[in-house]
Amino acid sequence: MDAVSGRKQFDISAALDQAMRVFWQRGYPDASLDALGSATGLGRGSLYGAFGNKETLFGKCLDRYASIYGAQYEQALAAHPGDPVRAVEAFFDVALRRIADPSVPVGCLMAQSAAQLPTLKEENGKQVRGLLHVQRQRVRAALADSPAESRTLDELATFVVAINQSLAVLSRAGTPDAELRSVARLACTTVADTIARAVSEDVPGDRRQPGH
């Protein structure tokens, strides 16, 4: 209890974590105020008082999720300067570790929210798209050391993010970890082959005239 006001105090970060798990597990439409209140230990009045309405709470949960896993992605991608393929492998490792973690819901809050964009309020939808864009920018920056042309690297960044979101969707469908890791390996092979092919096409070959 607060000795001055007599009001019950609570840990906002812990409440956000619990609310985030509800949105993560159920999706925005099915995350009822009753479920959010039960998870956080707060009544509707306290929820509104602390976080505003459901849309505002969801936005804060998206930010919370992005700060936790975004930092892990950024660290993984930055750990292999000059080796874009290894950086992408590390990026997928973060996602696969999260998927395999029994202490959190299956899948990915971002992937689930992106799939439910038509049900989200405009501001929340804009936020989800923005966070996906940030993820793509992180991957693109990790690919920047590659000698491949910019357009190819742009396409690869989009491809990597698409595979990352697909891993989350597959995990929610019950796809075994071994199969998810196989998808990630094939994606890394595609990145490596695409970069190698793009580089080889830029190297002048034997351009002798016919008959020489």
Side-chain angles (χ1 to χ4, degrees):
M1 298 287 290
D2 187 322
V4 177
S5 65
R7 293 178 301 181
K8 185 178 180 180
Q9 299 299 295
F10 64 94
D11 185 329
I12 291 181
S13 293
L16 270 178
D17 283 340
Q18 294 305 318
M20 178 183 72
R21 288 168 183 264
V22 174
F23 285 120
W24 187 345
Q25 185 173 33
R26 299 188 176 211
Y28 178 82
D30 293 329
S32 67
L33 289 175
D34 286 342
L36 290 165
S38 177
T40 59
L42 300 174
R44 291 195 180 199
S46 297
L47 275 174
Y48 284 131
F51 302 111
N53 57 24
K54 179 181 174 181
E55 292 78 27
T56 301
L57 175 57
F58 181 56
K60 291 180 182 297
C61 289
L62 286 173
D63 284 338
R64 179 77 169 167
Y65 185 89
S67 69
I68 294 171
Y69 294 105
Q72 293 180 25
Y73 282 135
E74 193 162 339
Q75 183 178 8
L77 288 165
H80 304 280
D83 190 345
V85 177
R86 184 66 190 90
V88 170
E89 290 175 349
F91 174 81
F92 285 135
D93 282 343
V94 171
L96 291 167
R97 284 198 305 270
R98 185 200 65 236
I99 288 170
D101 184 353
S103 69
V104 298
V106 179
C108 166
L109 178 60
M110 292 301 304
Q112 176 146 298
S113 300
Q116 296 176 334
L117 274 174
T119 70
L120 302 183
K121 298 295 184 181
E122 181 178 356
E123 191 61 30
N124 290 148
K126 182 179 179 181
Q127 184 180 8
V128 170
R129 287 189 290 269
L131 291 173
L132 287 172
H133 178 66
V134 168
Q135 187 174 106
R136 182 184 176 280
Q137 286 183 312
R138 286 194 179 107
V139 175
R140 179 62 178 82
L143 297 173
D145 289 335
S146 167
E149 66 176 14
S150 180
R151 180 179 176 181
T152 297
L153 299 181
D154 289 343
E155 293 172 346
L156 281 177
T158 300
F159 168 74
V160 169
V161 171
I163 294 297
N164 189 49
Q165 299 304 307
S166 297
L167 290 173
V169 174
L170 289 171
S171 71
R172 285 192 63 98
T175 302
D177 180 73
E179 292 184 25
L180 297 177
R181 291 188 176 278
S182 178
V183 171
R185 284 195 300 271
L186 286 171
C188 290
T189 298
T190 298
V191 171
D193 289 348
T194 301
I195 291 175
R197 184 169 61 251
V199 172
S200 67
E201 289 174 352
D202 288 339
V203 177
D206 186 354
R207 298 183 177 178
R208 293 176 298 175
Q209 295 297 319
H212 286 198

